[in-house]
Amino acid sequence: MNKSELLNWMQEEHRQWDALLKRIGPSRMDQAGVNGLWSFKDLVAHLIPDGVRCISDLEAVQRNEPEPPPPWPEHLRTDDEINAWIYETNRERSVSQILDEAQQMFQRLFAVVKELPDDVQIETVHQGERNYHLVHLNGQSIQPGYIFDHFHDDHEQDVRAWLKRMKKG
């Protein structure tokens, strides 16, 4: 895979994400039950730090700098601690604030990937039914589509089940 193909894949993933947002619609974004008590808004807020971290990692590796700190407090170690912090940090924010931040994050992510050298090495790793793409640069490996991969691997099934329940109700 080359950089252009990676960008095309990411843009297609983003188009699918936008289609999902439209399917859910603004009126259902803050309804609980998507993933436990989380609403879809909460899920989007949960995914944003993945994109922010990826952007920071890509920028650092391009500048040959050390890995930057995560977007959450460094003393948080477990996924549960990090997820609780993300939820508490974002729970009072509006749907439009969260969606606007997500859109800005996606645009920034695409811009950073576009800035990669044209000859950057990109490896496609096949696991199960999914492909994961790794950028290798300056001795580091970064998964620029991690936000999409995380959604598909850990949350998409819950969202689809929630949408089915909403349709029946």
Side-chain angles (χ1 to χ4, degrees):
M1 173 175 272
N2 63 36
K3 182 176 88 168
S4 177
E5 292 168 329
L6 176 64
L7 276 167
N8 287 340
W9 173 80
M10 292 175 70
Q11 289 167 340
E12 177 57 29
E13 287 288 324
H14 188 249
R15 279 190 287 281
Q16 291 174 26
W17 175 258
D18 280 344
L20 179 62
L21 293 179
K22 287 178 185 158
R23 182 173 173 202
I24 292 168
S27 65
R28 296 191 295 185
M29 289 279 173
D30 57 1
Q31 292 178 6
V34 173
N35 185 350
L37 296 177
W38 283 8
S39 66
F40 194 78
K41 177 197 89 163
D42 298 328
L43 177 61
V44 175
H46 162 79
L47 293 171
I48 290 171
D50 291 334
V52 170
R53 186 171 204 181
C54 186
I55 291 164
S56 298
D57 288 349
L58 283 167
E59 290 173 335
V61 77
Q62 287 185 70
R63 293 188 300 258
N64 232 354
E65 296 175 354
E67 182 179 343
W72 49 82
E74 288 188 71
H75 71 276
L76 301 177
R77 298 287 176 216
T78 68
D79 287 345
D80 288 343
E81 291 173 331
I82 294 165
N83 290 341
W85 179 85
I86 293 169
Y87 175 80
E88 286 301 319
T89 302
N90 291 288
R91 70 184 177 95
E92 297 298 324
R93 296 176 66 207
S94 71
V95 169
S96 63
Q97 288 173 314
I98 297 294
L99 293 179
D100 287 349
E101 182 179 355
Q103 187 60 26
Q104 290 170 14
M105 179 273 307
F106 282 124
Q107 295 311 310
R108 194 166 153 228
L109 178 60
F110 297 144
V112 170
V113 171
K114 285 178 187 174
E115 292 172 8
L116 291 170
D118 287 334
D119 63 346
V120 67
Q121 181 188 356
I122 302 169
E123 176 186 12
T124 299
V125 177
H126 308 282
Q127 286 185 326
E129 295 181 19
R130 299 222 352 103
N131 292 329
Y132 302 90
H133 308 294
L134 298 173
V135 167
H136 300 289
L137 188 64
N138 295 330
Q140 301 291 320
S141 296
I142 299 170
Q143 189 176 350
Y146 180 75
I147 187 169
F148 301 116
D149 298 331
H150 180 171
F151 173 73
H152 290 307
D153 292 344
D154 298 329
H155 302 291
E156 184 174 22
Q157 186 174 354
D158 291 335
V159 171
R160 302 279 180 209
W162 174 72
L163 285 169
K164 273 188 178 179
R165 289 191 307 272
M166 297 297 286
K167 198 175 197 180
K168 291 178 184 178

